[in-house]
Amino acid sequence: MTQKSTDADRPSRMTAWVRGQVQGVGFRWYTRARALAIGGLRGVVRNLGDGRVQVVVEGSREGCERLLEWLRTGDTPGRVDGVTEIWDTPRGDHRDFVIE
C-alpha cells in the first residue's frame, strides 16, 4: 500500500464554515445529500446566526476532501463566497449525517 492511499483512508475530522448566500436556499439539505452520496461520512450541517453554514464531517480523509471540494466549487444552491476549514482528529460524535 502506498503512503498516499494510507493518507486517503486515514480517519479525519473537518469543520468548514461556508460564507455567502447559503441560508434559506436548501444548502444544508444538499450538503447532507452530497455527504451521503460520497459515502462513509458522518457529521452535521447547521445554520449559524451570522449567516454562515457550519459543516462538521468525519470519515476518510479522501471523503472529507471530496465534500470540501464540492462546498468550494460544486453546484451548490445559493452562492458560496468562501469556505474556511480546519482539520482535526475524529471524535466519533455522530452516527449519521444530520441537519440541525
Side-chain angles (χ1 to χ4, degrees), residues 1-10 61-62 65:
M1 182 182 282
T2 66
Q3 182 65 30
K4 184 172 179 146
S5 64
T6 300
D7 287 345
D9 295 338
R10 185 178 77 240
R61 176 76 182 210
E62 178 184 25
E65 286 176 348

Side-chain angles (χ1 to χ4, degrees), residues 74-89:
D75 186 20
T76 61
R79 184 191 76 247
V80 174
D81 293 335
V83 179
T84 304
E85 90 279 354
I86 60 169
W87 294 88
D88 201 356
T89 304

Side-chain angles (χ1 to χ4, degrees), residues 4 8 10 17-20 25 34 46 54 65 67 70-72 84 87-88 92:
K4 184 172 179 146
R10 185 178 77 240
W17 294 270
V18 185
R19 299 178 310 280
V25 294
R34 179 57 57 138
R46 62 176 63 97
Q54 181 186 51
E65 286 176 348
L67 185 61
W70 179 80
L71 290 170
R72 286 193 167 136
T84 304
W87 294 88
D88 201 356

Side-chain angles (χ1 to χ4, degrees), residues 2-3 6 8 12 15 18 21 28 56 60 70 86 91:
T2 66
Q3 182 65 30
T6 300
S12 296
T15 303
V18 185
Q21 182 185 359
R28 292 178 299 157
V56 179
S60 70
W70 179 80
I86 60 169
R91 300 177 191 163

